[in-house]
Amino acid sequence: PSLFQALHQLYYDPNIENKNLAQKWLMQAQVSPQAWHFSWLLLNMDKVPEIQYFGASALHIKISRYWNDIPADQYESLKSQLFTQITRFAGGSKIVLTRLCVALASLALSMMPEAWPCAVADMVRMFQAEDSNVDGRARCLALLELLTVLPEEFQTSRLPQYRKGQVRSVLAQECGSVFPLLEQLLQQQDSPGFIKQKVLKCFSSWVQLEIPLMDCENLIQAAFTSLQDPELFDTAVEAIVNAISQPDAQRYVNTLLKLIPPVLGLQEQLRQAVQSGDMETSHGICRIAVALGENHSRALLDQVEHWQSFLALVNMIMFCTGIPGHYPVNETTSSLTLTFWYTLQDDILSFEPDKQAVYQQVYRPVYFQLVDVLLHKAQFPSDEEYGFWSSDEKEQFRIYRVDISDTLMYVYEMLGAELLSSLYDKLGRLLTNTEQPSTWQHTEALLYGFQSIAETIDVNYSDVVPGLIGLIPRISISNVQLADTVMFTIGALSEWLADHPVMINNVLPLVLQALGNPELSISSVSTLKKICRECKYDLPPYAANIVAVSQEVLMKQIHKTSQCMWLMQALGFLLSALQVEEILKNLHSLITPYIQQLEKLADETPNPSNKLAIIHILGLLSNLFTTLDISHHDDDHESTEVKKLPVQQGPNPVVVVLQQVFQLIQKVLSKWLNDAQVVESVCAIFEKSVKTLLDDFAPMVPQLCEMLGQMYSTIPQASAIDLTRQLVHIFAHEPAHFPPIKALFLLVTSVTLTLFQQGPRDHPDIVDSFMQLLAQALKRKPDLFLCSNLDVKAVFQCGVLSLKFPEAPTVKASCGFFTELLPRCGEIAPVGQVVHENGKVLLQAVLEGVGGQASRSLMDHFAEILFALNKHCFSYLSIWIKEAMQQDGFPSARVSPEQKETFSQQILSRERVNKRRVKEMVKEFTLLCRGLHGTEYTADY
C-alpha cells in the first residue's frame, strides 16, 4: 500500500484487521531508510494533522533510536529544518507541534555538550528573535513546549548510563537560561493565564532534573502566589510538590525552612475550602504540606532551634488527617497523610537516646492525639447514611480502615502499653456511662483500635486485656459492623486466651451465638477457628457444646462453602486434643449425616447438582482431616511439656473413619471416574490426611494404592498422580509400607507411557504431574529406576517430548525431571546408559527451546539442564553441542556461525561450574536467537 493509503486505513477504516495491518506496515515504514525522505513531505501544510503527526513521529523515532545512522555533517541542517518546522507549526496543530518539539529535544540530548554546546540557550535565543510571520505569543508557547518536553525526553531517553550523567549536569547548568525567563513570564501583569499555566508546567518538568532547590526558590514562591488563582491552582500544586519532593532537596535546609511559612500561610485557604466543601482545593493544599513534611522530616527535625515552626507544620498535617467528613464520600484527603506519620516516627526513633527523649516529650502527646483522630476517622457513618453508599465506596472505606489499622499498629511502637491503657479507659467510660448512651459507631471504633494492635503485637504482658475481656460481654450488639469487630477482637486475643484459659468462658458463648448469624459468617467462623487452634488443650470441657452448635449451623446450611470448610478445620483442631474414644464418638455424630447423604448421592445418576453436593461433602471431610492431628506434629507451643497428652495407642481415629467410608468413596468414584473435579476431591481427602498423619497413615496404604491404580488405569487424571507423588515422598524410606507404592508407581508409569503413544497433547496437566512424580522418585527413591519393568528409555523420551509443550508449567516440570535425572548417571546404570545413548536428543530439544521455541521465562530452567549435562556428561556434551550447532539455521536463523561458536565455547569453558554464569549465557544467547538483543525488550530482562 502507499503511505497515504496505509495512514487512511489506520485512522478511518472501520475494519479492525485492516487497521492492525496498516499499523504494522507503518511501524516498519517509520524505521526504514526512506523515513528521512517522506517525513518532511508529510509535514506539508496541505496535509491533515493526523498525517503530519505521523511524519513528526517518524522523525522522532529516527533521531531517538537510530542516532548512529545520522552522519555528523548533517546535524546542523537537521537542526535548522526542525527549528523551521516548529516555527511553522507554532500557530498550527498542537499535537504535531509537540511531536516536533520532542524530536528536536531528542536531537539536542544526543548532540550535547560537544556538538551543540549551549543548546538550551540557543533555543531560547532562536524563539525570542523577532519573526514577523509568527505571532509573539505563539512563538512563546512553542518555546515553552520545547523547554517542557526536553527534561521529559531526557527521563525516557535511551542514552547510555555515562552519557545520562553527563547530559543531566549540562541541563542542570542550563537552567540558568530557562528559569529567569519563566520568572519574568509569571511576574508580568499582562501574561495571560494559559501562558502562566504553561510556565508552571515547564518548571515542574525541569525540577525533576535534580536542580539545586535554592535555584528554584523564586519560582516556588511565584507558584505559591499562583495558588490564589483558581485557574492555575492545580498546576501550581503539581509544580510545588515536584520541587519539594526531589530527593536532592534535603541538602538545602535553609531553603526548606523558608518554605514552611508559605505552607503554613495556606491554612486559611484550607479552612475555607473545607467549609465550602471544595475537595479539590483542600486536597491540593494537603499534598503540599505532606510533601514538605514527609520528604524532609529528618532534615527539619534536625533544626532544633526551629522546632516550633516544624511542630506547626505537623499540626497542619494533623488537621488534614482529621479533615471533617467521611472518607471517601465527603473527603479524599486524609488518606494522603498516613505515611507521613510513619516517616516522622521512624525519624524520631532514629535519633540517639538524649535527642530522642527531647522529641518524645514534644511528640508523644501529638501521637496520642493522632490515635484519637484516626479512630474518629475510622468510625462508620450513621446507618441511614451508610445505606446510601455505593458498594465501591464501601470497599474504599474498608481499605481505608485497614490502612488506619496498620498505622495504629505502627504507632504502638512509639506509645507502647500506655496506648492500650488509654483505649481501655475510653472504652470503659463509654460502656459504663449511663447518663450519655454512646453510639455503636464510637464503641466499634475503639474496639477496632484494640483489635488492630492485638492482631500483630503480643499483648500477653498487658494488664488491660483481662478488663477488656470482662467488658466485651457488656457491649450491647445492635448491628453487624459492631458484631464483626467484637468477633475479630476476640479472634485477635486467642493467643492471650490460651495463656489465660479461665477467661475462655467469658467470650466463647458470644462466638457460638454469632455462628448462627449468616451476616457474621466470616468473622464468627474465623474467630472460632483461631480459638480452636490456639486454645485446643483447654477446650475439652466445651467440646460437646462447640460440636453441637457447629453441627446445627452446618445442617441448616447457614454458611457459604468456604466458611463451612473453615468450620471443619476448627473442629479438627478441637478434636485433636480429646481422648481417642471421645474423638471417635464426636466424629461419628459429626460425620454420620454426611455419610448418609453421600450414600444416597452415590446411588443417583450423575448430574450437575448432585456433583456439587458430592464435592461439598468430600471437601468437608478433607478440611476436617487437614487439622485433626493427635500426634501433635504442628505443636510449637512453649507449654508443650505441661499440656502434652499421653501418646495414643491403637489406630488413628482418622484412619478408622477412612476405613469405614472407604467402600462408599470407591462407589462414588466408580460413577464419577471421568469427572476430574470429583476425582480431585476424593484425592484431596487422602492427600490432606497423608500430609497430617504422616506415618500414622500406613494402615491405609495398601487399599489406597490399589484404588489409585484402578482409577488411573481406567481414566488417567492428574490428581491421582499427585497423590502417588505424596505417597512416594512420605513412605520412600519405610521398607514395610513401600511395596504397594512401588507397584503403584510402576503402574502409573506404564499407563502414562501408553498415553504418550496415543498422543499426550490434550493432557498437559497429566504430563506436568507425571514429570513431577518422576522427579520426586529420583529425589527420594532413585532405585525405583533399577526396576527391570521400568522402561527408562521410554521415560526419557517422554521427558524430551514434554520439553516441547506450549504450556510453561509442563515444560518447567520436565526441566525439573532432567535436573534430577542427570546427576544419577553415575550411580544408576540404566539411567547412565540411556543418557549416553540419547542425550544428544535432549540437548537438541533444550537448544530448540533456547532458540525461541519456548517462553523466555523458562530460560533459567533450560540453563539448569545445560548445567547438569555439563557437570555429569561433559565429554559427551562437547561432541553433541558441536554436532548440533553445525545444522544450518539451528537453533535460530538469526544467529551467525560465529555467535553459535562463541556460545558453545562459553558453555564448555571453565565458567561452566558457575550456575549463575550459565544462566546469563543462556539469557544472552536466547536474545540473539530471538532478534531482541539490544532492543527495548531486554531492558526488563
Side-chain angles (χ1 to χ4, degrees):
S2 79
L3 200 56
F4 294 112
Q5 264 176 322
L7 282 163
H8 192 274
Q9 262 182 340
L10 179 65
Y11 290 120
Y12 307 113
D13 192 326
N15 181 334
I16 192 81
E17 303 262 298
N18 294 350
K19 269 190 196 305
N20 289 342
L21 280 171
Q23 184 167 16
K24 218 171 179 172
W25 188 86
L26 287 164
M27 282 171 81
Q28 287 167 334
Q30 276 185 320
V31 300
S32 69
Q34 291 77 32
W36 284 119
H37 175 63
F38 70 66
S39 301
W40 303 108
L41 296 177
L42 296 182
L43 286 166
N44 277 344
M45 280 306 175
D46 58 353
K47 302 285 184 278
V48 291
E50 288 90 336
I51 287 181
Q52 296 170 330
Y53 176 82
F54 182 80
S57 279
L59 284 172
H60 171 239
I61 285 174
K62 281 301 210 187
I63 294 170
S64 62
R65 297 193 199 169
Y66 299 95
W67 176 250
N68 296 335
D69 299 353
I70 307 173
D73 57 5
Q74 289 184 18
Y75 292 171
E76 286 306 316
S77 71
L78 187 55
K79 184 163 85 181
S80 66
Q81 272 178 297
L82 279 169
F83 268 122
T84 311
Q85 291 290 355
I86 290 173
T87 315
R88 278 179 53 212
F89 276 92
S93 162
K94 170 83 178 66
I95 56 167
V96 183
L97 174 67
T98 300
R99 266 352 264 157
L100 288 167
C101 288
V102 172
L104 180 58
S106 187
L107 180 83
L109 294 173
S110 294
M111 288 174 69
M112 286 179 188
E114 297 82 4
W116 190 357
C118 304
V120 182
D122 282 359
M123 291 172 184
V124 174
R125 208 178 46 252
M126 289 284 291
F127 282 96
Q128 284 182 321
E130 282 304 317
D131 182 334
S132 50
N133 306 337
V134 183
D135 154 60
R137 262 183 198 166
R139 267 208 325 277
C140 178
L141 274 174
L143 172 61
L144 286 171
E145 182 62 29
L146 178 57
L147 293 175
T148 305
V149 298
L150 186 64
E152 290 167 1
E153 180 64 11
F154 170 76
Q155 304 291 1
T156 57
S157 69
R158 302 185 175 154
L159 296 169
Q161 222 35 58
Y162 75 96
R163 284 273 298 142
K164 259 203 146 148
Q166 191 184 20
V167 173
R168 173 181 274 130
S169 59
V170 172
L171 282 173
Q173 285 159 1
E174 293 238 28
C175 80
S177 326
V178 180
F179 284 10
L181 168 72
L182 299 183
E183 285 167 34
Q184 180 195 340
L185 287 170
L186 270 183
Q187 280 150 7
Q188 271 173 8
Q189 291 306 310
D190 59 344
S191 281
F194 62 89
I195 294 257
K196 289 185 171 173
Q197 183 107 5
K198 203 73 205 128
V199 168
L200 288 165
K201 281 197 171 134
C202 183
F203 173 50
S204 241
S205 178
W206 275 77
V207 290
Q208 297 180 32
L209 293 170
E210 292 175 25
I211 288 166
L213 193 64
M214 48 202 257
D215 297 346
C216 306
E217 213 174 297
N218 295 346
L219 277 169
I220 295 176
Q221 295 292 357
F224 270 107
T225 312
S226 307
L227 289 170
Q228 302 308 316
D229 179 341
E231 193 189 346
L232 301 178
F233 181 83
D234 290 345
T235 326
V237 168
E238 226 34 71
I240 295 169
V241 168
N242 284 343
I244 294 176
S245 307
Q246 46 159 332
D248 195 43
Q250 58 203 22
R251 298 188 4 226
Y252 303 95
V253 180
N254 289 335
T255 308
L256 290 172
L257 287 168
K258 278 189 213 166
L259 291 177
I260 295 182
V263 173
L264 295 175
L266 299 170
Q267 288 180 99
E268 193 38 50
Q269 193 180 351
L270 173 62
R271 284 204 181 83
Q272 283 170 359
V274 169
Q275 262 166 355
S276 61
D278 172 359
M279 281 160 73
E280 276 71 26
T281 302
S282 49
H283 198 82
I285 293 175
C286 170
R287 280 185 61 201
I288 293 173
V290 169
L292 183 57
E294 196 176 311
N295 288 295
H296 306 297
S297 67
R298 176 73 205 221
L300 293 169
L301 280 169
D302 266 329
Q303 307 305 305
V304 183
E305 65 282 11
H306 295 279
W307 69 272
Q308 280 164 307
S309 71
F310 184 59
L311 182 59
L313 177 67
V314 172
N315 284 325
M316 179 177 176
I317 296 174
M318 180 77 79
F319 174 80
C320 296
T321 304
I323 207 158
H326 285 289
Y327 181 94
V329 177
N330 324 100
E331 63 92 7
T332 51
T333 301
S334 57
S335 61
L336 300 179
T337 63
L338 297 180
T339 31
F340 163 73
W341 299 107
Y342 284 75
T343 311
L344 177 62
Q345 176 176 312
D346 284 346
D347 290 336
I348 291 171
L349 297 181
S350 69
F351 286 125
E352 75 275 348
D354 299 352
K355 198 167 180 183
Q356 193 177 314
V358 175
Y359 279 112
Q360 285 262 17
Q361 248 179 328
V362 177
Y363 283 100
R364 270 178 80 84
V366 173
Y367 271 87
F368 273 113
Q369 186 195 346
L370 173 68
V371 172
D372 289 344
V373 167
L374 289 176
L375 290 177
H376 182 71
K377 292 297 291 180
Q379 281 188 29
F380 278 89
S382 70
D383 295 332
E384 190 185 0
E385 200 182 327
Y386 193 62
F388 285 116
W389 284 19
S390 68
S391 59
D392 189 39
E393 286 166 338
K394 288 178 178 171
E395 177 58 9
Q396 280 182 298
F397 180 58
R398 185 191 68 77
I399 294 168
Y400 174 68
R401 279 177 42 109
V402 171
D403 292 341
I404 286 181
S405 171
D406 292 345
T407 311
L408 289 170
M409 188 182 81
Y410 205 77
V411 167
Y412 180 84
E413 194 186 342
M414 176 103 153
L415 301 180
E418 205 182 322
L419 170 54
L420 290 179
S421 310
S422 96
L423 289 175
Y424 172 63
D425 291 343
K426 290 193 174 90
L427 191 62
R429 282 202 296 278
L430 207 61
L431 294 175
T432 50
N433 182 346
T434 42
E435 271 85 89
Q436 272 182 313
S438 60
T439 61
W440 70 262
Q441 285 89 342
H442 201 162
T443 309
E444 189 280 334
L446 283 169
L447 265 185
Y448 183 69
F450 221 107
Q451 173 213 325
S452 304
I453 294 160
E455 239 167 5
T456 38
I457 282 151
D458 176 12
V459 291
N460 272 356
Y461 62 84
S462 165
D463 48 2
V464 301
V465 178
L468 175 70
I469 298 261
L471 280 176
I472 285 178
R474 300 185 59 154
I475 298 170
S476 67
I477 297 181
S478 49
N479 85 329
V480 172
Q481 285 91 0
L482 175 58
D484 261 338
T485 303
V486 169
M487 282 304 116
F488 285 129
T489 306
I490 296 172
L493 295 170
S494 56
E495 289 184 36
W496 184 90
L497 287 168
D499 291 334
H500 305 82
V502 290
M503 305 297 274
I504 291 174
N505 205 22
N506 272 36
V507 290
L508 188 59
L510 291 174
V511 179
L512 294 180
Q513 189 191 344
L515 275 184
N517 183 344
E519 290 186 290
L520 305 179
S521 183
I522 292 179
S523 61
S524 61
V525 175
S526 69
T527 296
L528 182 66
K529 183 178 158 183
K530 280 183 176 168
I531 291 176
C532 289
R533 187 179 64 213
E534 300 301 333
C535 313
K536 61 183 171 192
Y537 298 113
D538 302 296
L539 292 178
Y542 313 105
N545 195 7
I546 296 174
V547 172
V549 173
S550 303
Q551 258 182 299
E552 188 186 352
V553 300
L554 283 167
M555 282 300 139
K556 284 188 183 161
Q557 299 185 333
I558 285 176
H559 301 290
K560 291 204 174 103
T561 304
S562 53
Q563 276 69 53
C564 294
M565 302 305 160
W566 290 359
L567 189 49
M568 278 302 203
Q569 289 181 19
L571 294 172
F573 286 125
L574 173 75
L575 297 182
S576 302
L578 303 181
Q579 296 298 330
V580 169
E581 56 276 17
E582 281 296 302
I583 298 179
L584 284 168
K585 206 168 75 189
N586 278 296
L587 278 179
H588 182 72
S589 70
L590 191 59
I591 291 176
T592 304
Y594 292 112
I595 301 303
Q596 289 165 350
Q597 260 177 295
L598 198 56
E599 280 168 341
K600 237 178 47 219
L601 291 164
D603 288 331
E604 293 175 14
T605 315
N607 67 49
S609 76
N610 59 22
K611 170 180 165 173
L612 284 177
I614 287 174
I615 289 178
H616 182 73
I617 293 173
L618 295 173
L620 293 174
L621 295 177
S622 292
N623 279 282
L624 178 62
F625 297 157
T626 303
T627 53
L628 208 174
D629 176 18
I630 57 170
S631 57
H632 314 296
H633 294 123
D634 64 344
D635 282 350
D636 46 6
H637 285 276
E638 306 85 86
S639 52
T640 34
E641 66 282 358
V642 190
K643 296 185 173 175
K644 198 66 180 208
L645 296 174
V647 175
Q648 310 282 357
Q649 293 307 314
N652 187 296
V654 173
V655 173
V656 174
V657 173
L658 283 176
Q659 283 174 330
Q660 285 167 357
V661 298
F662 197 79
Q663 277 178 312
L664 174 59
I665 288 178
Q666 275 183 303
K667 185 173 177 184
V668 171
L669 256 187
S670 62
K671 285 213 175 164
W672 290 90
L673 249 188
N674 51 6
D675 188 296
Q677 286 168 298
V678 176
V679 172
E680 207 170 302
S681 306
V682 168
C683 291
I685 290 186
F686 294 106
E687 194 174 356
K688 299 283 200 310
S689 310
V690 173
K691 275 187 178 160
T692 311
L693 302 181
L694 302 173
D695 319 343
D696 286 356
F697 187 81
M700 290 296 302
V701 168
Q703 55 200 120
L704 179 59
C705 288
E706 191 185 346
M707 182 178 92
L708 279 175
Q710 288 166 352
M711 265 166 64
Y712 194 74
S713 315
T714 320
I715 295 178
Q717 306 260 16
S719 48
I721 307 185
D722 295 336
L723 182 47
T724 307
R725 185 178 87 234
Q726 196 74 44
L727 291 171
V728 169
H729 175 67
I730 288 172
F731 291 103
H733 304 304
E734 300 274 342
H737 306 300
F738 201 69
I741 298 174
K742 175 178 174 178
L744 174 64
F745 171 76
L746 293 171
L747 177 73
V748 166
T749 303
S750 82
V751 172
T752 313
L753 291 179
T754 314
L755 186 79
F756 263 90
Q757 285 163 357
Q758 296 157 355
R761 271 300 308 113
D762 304 335
H763 308 287
D765 55 334
I766 291 182
V767 175
D768 182 345
S769 295
F770 181 55
M771 290 297 136
Q772 291 188 51
L773 169 66
L774 294 171
Q776 182 70 270
L778 284 160
K779 204 184 275 174
R780 300 280 294 167
K781 196 81 175 154
D783 49 1
L784 281 169
F785 279 70
L786 290 168
C787 298
S788 54
N789 47 355
L790 179 74
D791 187 340
V792 178
K793 182 177 178 181
V795 167
F796 184 91
Q797 286 166 335
C798 292
V800 173
L801 266 178
S802 314
L803 283 176
K804 302 180 184 184
F805 269 49
E807 290 81 5
T810 307
V811 180
K812 186 176 159 188
S814 318
C815 292
F817 159 59
F818 284 114
T819 315
E820 289 295 338
L821 182 84
L822 294 167
R824 306 285 179 194
C825 277
E827 63 189 86
I828 298 177
V831 171
Q833 188 184 345
V834 167
V835 170
H836 297 155
E837 288 168 10
N838 303 273
K840 188 178 167 188
V841 190
L842 170 62
L843 177 67
Q844 182 98 2
V846 168
L847 292 173
E848 276 170 25
V850 174
Q853 293 297 318
S855 150
R856 262 174 44 206
S857 63
L858 292 163
M859 289 308 114
D860 277 357
H861 301 286
F862 280 108
E864 297 261 3
I865 299 183
L866 280 175
F867 180 75
L869 278 169
N870 234 327
K871 193 167 174 184
H872 302 286
C873 327
F874 179 66
S875 52
Y876 287 92
L877 178 66
S878 42
I879 302 164
W880 294 335
I881 198 163
K882 218 185 220 101
E883 289 174 4
M885 290 298 199
Q886 274 167 358
Q887 307 165 78
D888 274 348
F890 179 88
S892 153
R894 289 197 176 91
V895 280
S896 64
E898 296 74 40
Q899 288 169 321
K900 295 203 285 191
E901 178 57 26
T902 307
F903 175 65
S904 306
Q905 282 174 351
Q906 277 182 325
I907 287 289
L908 300 170
S909 71
R910 309 258 296 272
E911 287 197 276
R912 67 175 192 274
V913 296
N914 177 341
K915 194 180 284 185
R916 189 179 53 81
R917 269 299 290 135
V918 174
K919 288 180 178 178
E920 283 166 11
M921 294 168 196
V922 169
K923 276 188 179 164
E924 193 78 5
F925 188 61
T926 198
L927 291 171
L928 288 170
C929 289
R930 293 162 200 262
L932 296 175
H933 204 271
T935 64
E936 60 199 285
Y937 292 107
T938 58
D940 56 345
Y941 197 47

